[in-house]
Amino acid sequence: MNRTLTREQVLALAEHVENAELQAHDIHKVTNDYPEMTFADAYDIQWEIRRRKEARGNKIVGLKMGLTSWAKMAQMGVETPVYGFLSDYFSVPDGGTVDCSKLIHPKIEAEIAVVTKAPLHGPGCHIGDVIAAIDYVIPTVEVIDSRYENFKFDLISVVADNASSTRYITGGQMANLEDVDLRTLGVVMEKNGEVVEVGAGAAVLGHPLSSVAMLANLLAERGEHIPAGTFIMTGGITAAVAVAPGDNICVRYQGLGSVSARFV
């Protein structure tokens, strides 16, 4: 994998980007100063942010995929989605509150999440491997919050910013894989009682489990894999919808109940 940054630059950028998240202030996208940066550099920064959190005692509780719409990839001129990690303090209970003072410009996306019961290794991981490795499915709403000014960024900068990860809300209703058709599973997103987005699972790479297979293959590029018991958010089914203090959101999932939260 091609790299352009020194170890010292990776450490400095990881501190810079993570401080923007922890202190809830925006920054210029990192490629402004390092236009030759590669995806390998960006993932080096992301994994260093992950190491920094673990060193402070935070637990990594899951993984997520981003940019999982074929149309969005074509729009961005890229051929693969990106991934990020989820830290323990990102988790918000269903019906809970999200403190906007700790965020910059939050948006929400409806997602399908899965939990694995067996490890998944790439390269060459495919949807059949994933089906055999899934323990259960759970509805999830992701709150994304890019640290970059005006939500303007390129994909390499997004990877370095842990794929805009900040909070997620999981529903309380789980399902076995054989009891739901993830491709046709419909979602309806409401904000303050009005429908703002609708979608179906097929919006995620044609099938949300294709996203999990791709995650395993991307991790393999760094010699990593998906362990058993991993919580994985497969990517946005709907477009991202901006939220602000005072907003109430509810996302209804076909056969899986609903997920709600209040923004304060």
Side-chain angles (χ1 to χ4, degrees), residues 116-139:
T116 59
K117 61 184 177 185
L120 285 165
H121 294 264
C125 181
H126 59 80
I127 195 168
D129 300 322
V130 177
I131 289 170
I134 296 303
D135 191 7
Y136 58 87
V137 177
I138 185 167

Side-chain angles (χ1 to χ4, degrees), residues 104-262:
I104 303 165
H105 29 219
K107 299 184 179 186
I108 59 167
E109 295 177 344
E111 306 213 7
I112 293 168
V114 298
V115 175
T116 59
K117 61 184 177 185
L120 285 165
H121 294 264
C125 181
H126 59 80
I127 195 168
D129 300 322
V130 177
I131 289 170
I134 296 303
D135 191 7
Y136 58 87
V137 177
I138 185 167
T140 306
V141 173
E142 183 177 16
V143 184
I144 56 172
D145 188 31
S146 171
R147 267 54 72 167
Y148 298 122
E149 286 179 332
N150 302 318
F151 232 92
K152 300 294 185 188
F153 43 71
D154 53 63
L155 202 56
I156 286 174
S157 295
V158 171
V159 169
D161 185 32
N162 191 25
S164 305
S165 306
T166 192
R167 299 289 185 271
Y168 65 93
I169 309 137
T170 45
Q173 193 166 331
M174 300 174 291
N176 293 322
L177 198 54
E178 58 267 26
D179 294 332
V180 289
D181 181 349
L182 294 185
R183 287 185 67 255
T184 61
L185 189 148
V187 303
V188 178
M189 180 188 289
E190 299 173 1
K191 184 170 85 168
N192 301 325
E194 293 190 10
V195 174
V196 289
E197 287 288 336
V198 296
V204 181
L205 295 177
H207 195 300
L209 298 189
S210 295
S211 175
V212 179
M214 195 168 284
L215 173 61
N217 294 327
L218 287 168
L219 288 170
E221 295 176 5
R222 298 186 68 93
E224 303 283 347
H225 72 283
I226 301 173
T230 301
F231 172 81
I232 303 165
M233 296 196 303
T234 59
I237 296 171
T238 61
V241 172
V243 285
D247 284 339
N248 291 279
I249 64 103
C250 179
V251 181
R252 305 182 192 281
Y253 291 78
Q254 181 183 358
L256 287 174
S258 62
V259 181
S260 62
R262 187 163 53 93

